[in-house]
Amino acid sequence: KAGVTQTPRYLIKTRGQQVTLSCSPISGHRSVSWYQQTPGQGLQFLFEYFSETQRNKGNFPGRFSGRQFSNSRSEMNVSTLELGDSALYLCASSLTGLFQSGANVLTFGAGSRLTVL
Amino acid sequence: SQKIEQNSEALNIQEGKTATLTCNYTNYSPAYLQWYRQDPGRGPVFLLLIRENEKEKRKERLKVTFDTTLKQSLFHITASQPADSATYLCALPRKGGSQGNLIFGKGTKLSVKP
């Protein structure tokens, strides 16, 4: 089955602009999580969506937002871009996003590499 | 707050040897721990999951241990090959978080020399 698809793979923006990244999860997966990866901070959790509802949000400013559609596809948006937003943005899908004691494995996409000039 | 540390940023070993990577965590007792592999320019790929009531888990040449007393997990690759060269990440579920909310270590970059 197809994996997690992220678009675009690469993009260059300038400070002050905004960007929208897209993620199509594995068919049947209802949870989509977003992570930011930088050399200095590693992987940092941005937010998670399940059934079009934001379940969790990481410690990022309000310029970072997201949403999930009824077909589980998700988008994240970063407004008023700053140089420090340059990073690899990773989307991951999993079967469920519920609060439960069971473990859940994440399947990541290849990421969208954003460069802010 | 929860912290997770992977002791080595980089590990260089000779082909055929066993690579051992370490993951330590504090201020938390997770129900499970996961290991992922990441190649340059790609997203992490899940390798193994070990639960708190499991001491050891194996998958082909991979072995993971989980010591809840020491708050440590060890990840072993036996008979290592150059194709095993990658960055390996350990991850824990965030306390009180949902399933997609994991805390990742910064990773250990493994280089296997022929």
Side-chain angles (χ1 to χ4, degrees):
Chain A
K1 56 182 177 183
V4 177
T5 304
Q6 290 189 247
T7 57
R9 287 294 312 279
Y10 303 93
L11 64 167
I12 300 174
K13 294 285 187 178
T14 56
R15 279 180 297 174
Q17 287 187 309
Q18 74 161 10
V19 66
T20 298
L21 309 177
S22 179
C23 173
S24 293
I26 289 175
S27 177
H29 283 195
R30 298 169 63 190
S31 169
V32 173
S33 301
W34 288 90
Y35 287 80
Q36 180 196 66
Q37 186 174 35
T38 59
Q41 297 299 316
L43 274 157
Q44 301 283 310
F45 174 78
L46 281 158
F47 26 65
E48 178 185 7
Y49 288 88
F50 179 80
S51 292
E52 303 177 65
T53 301
Q54 187 180 88
R55 282 286 184 179
N56 268 181
K57 190 177 193 306
N59 191 25
F60 279 82
R63 299 184 296 108
F64 292 81
S65 63
R67 59 176 174 169
Q68 186 180 33
F69 302 96
S70 58
N71 61 357
S72 294
R73 190 177 71 85
S74 177
E75 288 181 347
M76 69 162 282
N77 184 275
V78 188
S79 62
T80 320
L81 285 166
E82 301 177 359
L83 294 178
D85 297 333
S86 294
L88 180 66
Y89 289 88
L90 291 159
C91 164
S93 75
S94 59
L95 276 172
T96 72
L98 301 176
F99 291 92
Q100 57 187 338
S101 59
N104 216 4
V105 168
L106 300 183
T107 302
F108 284 87
S112 293
R113 177 149 316 266
L114 170 65
T115 301
V116 182
L117 302 176
Chain B
S1 63
Q2 300 165 252
K3 288 188 178 179
I4 181 169
E5 287 184 357
Q6 293 186 248
N7 290 5
S8 302
E9 283 191 19
L11 179 64
N12 299 310
I13 65 169
Q14 206 67 31
E15 182 176 7
K17 301 292 185 183
T18 296
T20 299
L21 285 63
T22 305
C23 178
N24 294 291
Y25 58 93
T26 59
N27 300 328
Y28 186 32
S29 295
Y32 59 88
L33 182 148
Q34 301 182 18
W35 283 89
Y36 288 79
R37 167 184 171 144
Q38 187 174 24
D39 291 286
R42 309 292 293 272
V45 174
F46 170 77
L47 295 175
L48 281 168
L49 180 152
I50 186 164
R51 300 178 189 277
E52 61 180 339
N53 61 349
E54 298 175 316
K55 295 287 187 191
E56 182 180 296
K57 202 81 168 281
R58 291 176 185 262
K59 178 183 177 183
E60 298 173 352
R61 294 184 295 111
L62 308 180
K63 184 178 84 172
V64 173
T65 63
F66 195 8
D67 189 325
T68 55
T69 301
L70 292 178
K71 294 188 183 298
Q72 180 180 83
S73 175
L74 298 179
F75 178 82
H76 306 271
I77 304 176
T78 58
S80 59
Q81 305 166 0
D84 295 326
S85 298
T87 296
Y88 292 85
L89 304 161
C90 64
L92 298 172
R94 191 177 303 273
K95 185 178 181 181
S98 53
Q99 295 301 311
N101 188 346
L102 299 180
I103 304 173
F104 283 84
K106 291 190 177 180
T108 296
K109 184 176 181 180
L110 175 66
S111 296
V112 181
K113 307 296 183 185

